Amino acid sequence: MTAPTGLAPMEVLLDARDMLGEGIVWCERAQALYWTDIQRATLFRLHPADGQLAQWPMPERLASFALCESDEWLLLALASRLAFFRLADGHLQTLHAVEPDLPTRCNDGACDRQGRFVFGTLHEPAEGSKQRLGGFWRLHADLRLERLALPNVAISNSIAFSPTGDTMYFCDSLSRRIQQCSYGDALGPPCLFADLGDVTGEPDGSCVDAEGSLWNAQWGMARIARYAPDGSLRECLPVPTQQPTRPVFGGARLDTLYVTSARTGLSPQQLHADRYAGALFHATMPVHGLPEPRFLGRPP
């Protein structure tokens, strides 16, 4: 499979061998990528210019996170809680338990254009299939936690925001549909944005470019799909692994697309065939991304 006209093929930047690479964000100030391997409960930072790699072990699985206005902190969505994390010394300051009475954990998350952190959860059943028990939440700058008036989900994903911040994208991966709603202090009713149809894969993490297109990693389908603002499929960018998880635009000109991926769930035979499962990929794009919004709240 070759890349569509105008899109460079994805190449391996780092053979990270992540079990479940996720949550990737680009820090313009540090010119660095941050991402998490959820299964290994580890946060990573890479400076692509010189290959300098740092990592921080976490006390539990780290699902997603946000840059903060203060460079010394990150806001973490750990499996069971939200917390501030100080990079210099690893100090962790818990803010809220998340769905403590449910068999769920935090999952996908992103800052909105107003500096609030929006995230979702997923169901982790002791046995049987996942059920729609999880929800979507928003942490305000005053550290107030609000449950959003959106449908319950089994696996929250694809949280992203339009360039103007007045549209939110999200999905339940098991539905194979990406939804959208008008977004602000209040949310409008959800409506269909894109339907993957009857496929073997699922929509995973997303980002939005400066033109308003949504770029969605499609788990099990070895591709990043680019959707126009009206939900029409513009093109698909092949990724040389079956389980891409989340894209982000970065680089000095915000024209490099970085993509995380996963090894989890693959058999030894599949891993032998999928040489770069769990790698971090990159490619230069003909479009530009948007600066990563930062969480405006501060540790109490």
Side-chain angles (χ1 to χ4, degrees):
M1 191 186 303
T2 58
T5 303
L7 297 185
M10 299 295 296
E11 298 179 346
V12 175
L13 176 62
L14 179 69
D15 191 6
R17 301 178 72 82
D18 289 332
M19 290 303 298
L20 184 51
E22 268 288 5
I24 190 166
V25 300
W26 172 258
C27 177
E28 277 194 292
R29 295 176 188 173
Q31 290 289 290
L33 291 163
Y34 287 90
W35 77 96
T36 174
D37 185 341
I38 296 177
Q39 302 295 58
R40 289 193 287 169
T42 304
L43 171 72
F44 295 93
R45 181 181 65 202
L46 175 70
H47 291 87
D50 60 11
Q52 182 181 356
L53 180 67
Q55 62 185 67
W56 293 265
M58 294 286 129
E60 59 179 307
R61 289 170 297 167
L62 172 61
S64 57
F65 53 89
L67 304 174
C68 291
E69 192 55 46
S70 173
D71 286 334
E72 63 179 329
W73 296 93
L74 294 178
L75 175 67
L76 307 183
L78 295 160
S80 69
R81 54 186 159 145
L82 297 180
F84 280 111
F85 179 72
R86 191 161 55 206
L87 291 160
D89 59 5
H91 174 68
L92 197 73
Q93 188 167 347
T94 296
L95 296 175
H96 297 281
V98 177
E99 298 178 354
D101 299 324
L102 292 174
T104 58
R105 71 158 171 84
C106 293
N107 200 44
D108 194 38
C111 261
D112 64 19
R113 308 292 175 202
Q114 296 81 21
R116 301 169 293 193
F117 184 60
V118 178
F119 67 99
T121 61
L122 64 75
H123 179 214
E124 288 194 313
E127 57 183 24
S129 59
K130 286 181 168 59
Q131 306 297 318
R132 290 181 172 86
L133 298 181
F136 291 94
W137 299 81
R138 178 164 62 187
L139 183 69
H140 293 256
D142 62 4
L143 307 185
R144 173 173 53 93
L145 184 61
E146 170 195 13
R147 179 151 186 168
L148 297 178
L150 293 172
N152 284 5
V153 289
I155 305 175
S156 65
N157 258 317
S158 194
I159 297 173
F161 300 91
S162 62
T164 55
D166 58 0
T167 299
M168 175 180 168
Y169 303 97
F170 61 96
C171 78
D172 183 340
S173 289
L174 293 188
S175 74
R176 301 187 180 91
R177 298 183 185 93
I178 301 173
Q179 308 249 19
Q180 66 177 5
C181 66
S182 62
Y183 182 82
D185 291 341
L187 277 63
C191 60
L192 180 65
F193 175 72
D195 190 339
L196 275 64
D198 186 15
V199 298
T200 57
E202 300 173 357
D204 205 320
S206 292
C207 67
V208 171
D209 65 27
E211 298 176 0
S213 293
L214 183 84
W215 297 67
N216 176 248
Q218 300 192 333
W219 177 280
M221 300 177 71
R223 72 184 196 182
I224 305 294
R226 182 190 184 196
Y227 295 95
D230 65 1
S232 60
L233 180 62
R234 281 185 166 171
E235 54 208 340
C236 291
L237 174 62
V239 180
T241 188
Q242 284 299 307
Q243 297 179 163
T245 55
R246 180 166 167 161
V248 71
F249 281 92
R253 300 177 66 242
L254 292 177
D255 63 349
T256 301
L257 190 70
Y258 297 97
V259 179
T260 47
S261 67
R263 299 169 63 83
T264 188
L266 298 178
S267 68
Q269 293 79 12
Q270 288 172 318
L271 287 171
H272 179 75
D274 197 340
R275 168 67 181 84
Y276 293 114
L280 176 64
F281 301 91
H282 68 143
T284 302
M285 295 289 114
V287 296
H288 297 264
L290 295 163
E292 187 74 27
R294 291 173 175 264
F295 181 63
L296 295 182
R298 296 180 178 273

